[in-house]
Amino acid sequence: MLEVIMSRTGVLAHATRVEPVNADREVLAELQAADRPQAQLVLRGSSGRDIVLPEGLVRLVLAAAQDLAAGNAVLALPVETRLTPNEVAQLLGVSRPFVARLLDEGEIPSQHLPDSRHRLVRLSDVVEFQARRERRAEGRRRITEVAEEADLPY
């Protein structure tokens, strides 16, 4: 029996990344202000044929335009993408050992590869974890503001 071993190329390296360009900020700001229910995007092919893009794609483009207008780069990946712990660490801006601890504690769900110690993590689970993390940070910030306004010791 011949076993083929394929190395896994980094998901993040092959993701579509768009960097903000200062010259485009005015156009992006216009897109940001677009009337979302009425917004329509049309793609003109090389044959001159116009294709009206679906509403979901319009929402995606407008969300990307909002981030680019704010000066943030945009990375496009399917939410079903499976990441290694190292890739999760890159996305979150933390160390791989910290991610391993989060996976061990169940803070971020993961799956072990069959007959292996290696794990994969769904991108959607990473996004959900980050949203929870940001909500907790916002809650702590608000508690600190209230304590400062009331001149409470903490």
Side-chain angles (χ1 to χ4, degrees), residues 16-137:
T16 301
R17 182 181 177 97
V18 179
E19 296 287 339
V21 178
N22 285 336
D24 296 339
R25 284 219 168 148
E26 189 174 310
V27 172
L28 292 170
E30 284 181 43
L31 276 176
Q32 198 175 353
D35 185 15
R36 288 182 186 244
Q38 303 301 318
Q40 201 177 56
L41 286 176
V42 178
L43 181 65
R44 178 161 295 142
S46 58
S47 66
R49 181 172 171 254
D50 287 349
I51 302 167
V52 177
L53 299 179
E55 182 185 332
L57 195 49
V58 172
R59 285 194 320 268
L60 178 66
V61 168
L62 292 176
Q66 182 176 0
D67 281 323
L68 289 167
N72 300 318
V74 174
L75 187 67
L77 286 170
V79 293
E80 295 83 15
T81 299
R82 306 270 185 204
L83 304 170
T84 65
N86 194 48
E87 291 168 330
V88 173
Q90 281 181 279
L91 275 179
L92 296 176
V94 298
S95 70
R96 191 204 51 76
F98 180 68
V99 169
R101 193 176 83 212
L102 292 171
L103 299 178
D104 291 342
E105 293 172 354
E107 288 290 321
I108 303 175
S110 65
Q111 276 185 318
H112 280 276
L113 294 174
D115 302 321
S116 174
R117 299 178 346 204
H118 298 285
R119 297 182 273 202
L120 290 179
V121 181
R122 290 181 347 180
L123 175 61
S124 59
D125 291 330
V126 176
V127 170
E128 287 173 21
F129 168 79
Q130 184 62 19
R132 284 192 318 269
R133 189 176 180 199
E134 288 173 3
R135 283 192 306 272
R136 286 192 301 259

